[in-house]
Amino acid sequence: MTATRPTTDADRPALLGGSPVRTNGFPAWPPANDAAVRAVTEVAKAGVWSSVDGPVKTEFERAFADHHGARHGLAVCNGTIALEIALKALGIGSGDEVIVPGYTFLATATAVLGVNALPVFADVDPEYVCLDPDAVEAAITPRTKAIIPVHLAGHPADLDRLTDLAVKHGLALIEDAAHAHGARWRGRGVGSFGTFGCWSFQASKNMTAGEGGMVVTSDDELADRAWSFHHCGRSRAGAWYDHGILGGNYRLTEFQSAILLAQLADLDEQVARREHSARILDEGLSRIDGLSPLARDPRCTTHGYHLYQFLYDPQAFGGLPRERFTAALNAEGIPCSPGYGVPLDRQGVFAQRRFDQRATGFDPAYAATDYGRLDLPETERFCADLVWIPQQVLLGSDADQADIVTAAEKLSAAAGTLVEAT
């Protein structure tokens, strides 16, 4: 930590009344551009606003699946439902276990509860914050039916080892690619390695229609089962009023499909821009004591960068808490957050077991379900030390990325002042 005190208004942290590094914003998100307006207008004029086989929905499903290397795509109402449909299509339910990472958004695990199965949390790896294959193997029991790796922040999980584990133990692999639009592992699209791949199009995601989700698979039979679940339990070959299974109306509308189809055309260019910006941040932030950009697996040939992540060491900033650091960085005009603050198993729904234990076949003596007290050391570390920068920031110019580095350097130099004011 640099010991010098701020001597000018520009040197003083904006959190303490100084001038911020930036007063102009980063690229807006969602991208309300002319293409989105045209797409919605065309649907409105066409008169087909929602249909299971609507022309725009069908085109989007095919194009998105093809972009990621899968045969079938199914556009649904959100990413949580995408995961639930995948689980239901596989017949996973009461008494079954599904392994999920401890560091992820709630939906990865609550989707498992949604089909009356039990999520079992495993730790993440120490470099990429993705599901650790060794932890997965240790968590497998006779009741395990599936593994859900999360491609966190857009970095693929270890699909080589996880695929091998799934095959070895006869398990389904469901890729949670909610953060990983356009990401590739060894040149192949994520989502195409598992039995199913699932995405979210929620408002913050790298492709968005406000809400929405996608399920992809290359298994013809599973694709038909998933289709039935998203279309009120109907079958492709059956009559309109013929409901063979318990499904729901989970279809994506033509309006949402049109917006997403327009965004898909820009995805590769935006992915390249985010990767370029991330390289600038890697180089600049790594020069600052106490800030460590995350590593990238060489097999990750394309990083989705829903988030840019780096580790923060408070000791290098005189003991300044991470939350105070992120508040100070935000005050400098740099959007950021501390990410997930606690391992997912400590959320009340799990720690207090606020779900139907009889439906899930919960066994109080079974250690893997001792939510709130699991030993997930890497998950703990990332909950304590990670800082997130949202994806739209990476769509900015090289000068925008340089401002992020400048702001971090400013806070490093003024850390002592920030600590005193805390």
Side-chain angles (χ1 to χ4, degrees), residues 289-312:
D289 187 26
L291 303 185
S292 303
L294 292 192
R296 175 169 171 167
D297 193 304
R299 296 169 293 179
C300 169
T301 45
T302 305
H303 194 311
Y305 280 112
H306 174 60
L307 301 164
Y308 179 86
Q309 301 183 107
F310 62 91
L311 288 164
Y312 171 74

Side-chain angles (χ1 to χ4, degrees), residues 60-74 175 184 188-199 214-220 223:
F60 173 56
E61 289 169 335
R62 290 172 179 166
F64 190 90
D66 183 66
H67 191 91
H68 292 86
R71 284 207 303 270
H72 304 282
L74 190 68
E175 297 178 60
R184 297 187 179 276
R188 177 177 164 186
V190 300
S192 69
F193 289 80
T195 316
F196 282 105
C198 299
W199 279 261
M214 177 66 74
V215 183
V216 304
T217 184
S218 291
D219 185 300
D220 297 345

Side-chain angles (χ1 to χ4, degrees), residues 143-376:
R143 296 192 286 192
T144 306
K145 294 296 184 293
I147 307 165
I148 305 183
V150 176
H151 304 316
L152 194 92
H155 188 293
D158 188 340
L159 288 166
D160 292 352
R161 289 196 59 201
L162 290 169
T163 300
D164 288 346
L165 278 176
V167 171
K168 175 182 175 182
H169 294 277
L171 306 176
L173 186 69
I174 302 171
E175 297 178 60
D176 184 338
H179 289 182
H181 308 74
R184 297 187 179 276
W185 179 262
R186 295 186 183 273
R188 177 177 164 186
V190 300
S192 69
F193 289 80
T195 316
F196 282 105
C198 299
W199 279 261
S200 168
F201 302 126
Q202 175 266 349
S204 72
K205 299 301 189 293
N206 297 26
M207 289 179 61
T208 180
E211 292 291 351
M214 177 66 74
V215 183
V216 304
T217 184
S218 291
D219 185 300
D220 297 345
E221 182 178 348
L222 288 175
D224 284 345
R225 285 182 56 78
W227 187 92
S228 293
F229 280 113
H230 105 299
H231 190 41
C232 303
R234 298 180 176 100
S235 69
R236 291 186 191 271
W240 172 78
Y241 201 60
D242 181 9
H243 305 269
I245 60 174
L246 177 61
N249 177 5
Y250 302 131
R251 305 178 296 262
L252 200 68
T253 68
E254 288 286 279
F255 288 109
Q256 292 166 294
S257 299
I259 291 171
L260 291 164
L261 188 59
Q263 289 177 14
L264 185 61
D266 297 329
L267 181 60
D268 286 344
E269 181 182 348
Q270 290 181 347
V271 166
R273 177 71 235 178
R274 292 186 186 99
E275 289 203 292
H276 173 78
S277 294
R279 287 192 291 270
I280 295 173
L281 293 179
D282 283 350
E283 181 179 355
L285 295 179
S286 63
R287 297 196 301 264
I288 301 171
D289 187 26
L291 303 185
S292 303
L294 292 192
R296 175 169 171 167
D297 193 304
R299 296 169 293 179
C300 169
T301 45
T302 305
H303 194 311
Y305 280 112
H306 174 60
L307 301 164
Y308 179 86
Q309 301 183 107
F310 62 91
L311 288 164
Y312 171 74
D313 179 3
Q315 297 310 308
F317 284 73
L320 185 72
R322 176 188 57 171
E323 286 68 19
R324 184 72 167 168
F325 171 80
T326 56
L329 199 56
N330 273 289
E332 297 298 336
I334 311 301
C336 66
S337 76
Y340 306 130
V342 296
L344 185 50
D345 75 292
R346 293 187 189 171
Q347 292 289 336
V349 63
F350 297 109
Q352 279 79 52
R353 301 182 181 90
R354 294 174 182 156
F355 51 86
D356 186 346
Q357 297 173 1
R358 290 169 299 174
T360 56
F362 176 77
D363 179 355
Y366 186 51
T369 59
D370 194 15
Y371 299 130
R373 291 171 292 277
L374 299 179
D375 183 21
L376 306 173

Side-chain angles (χ1 to χ4, degrees), residues 94 103 289:
S94 181
Y103 194 89
D289 187 26

Side-chain angles (χ1 to χ4, degrees), residues 1-7 11-13 288-289 316-317 325 405-418:
M1 180 184 73
T2 305
T4 58
R5 288 178 171 275
T7 57
D11 293 333
R12 188 177 302 111
I288 301 171
D289 187 26
F317 284 73
F325 171 80
V405 176
T406 299
E409 290 172 337
K410 176 182 176 180
L411 298 184
S412 176
T417 303
L418 284 164

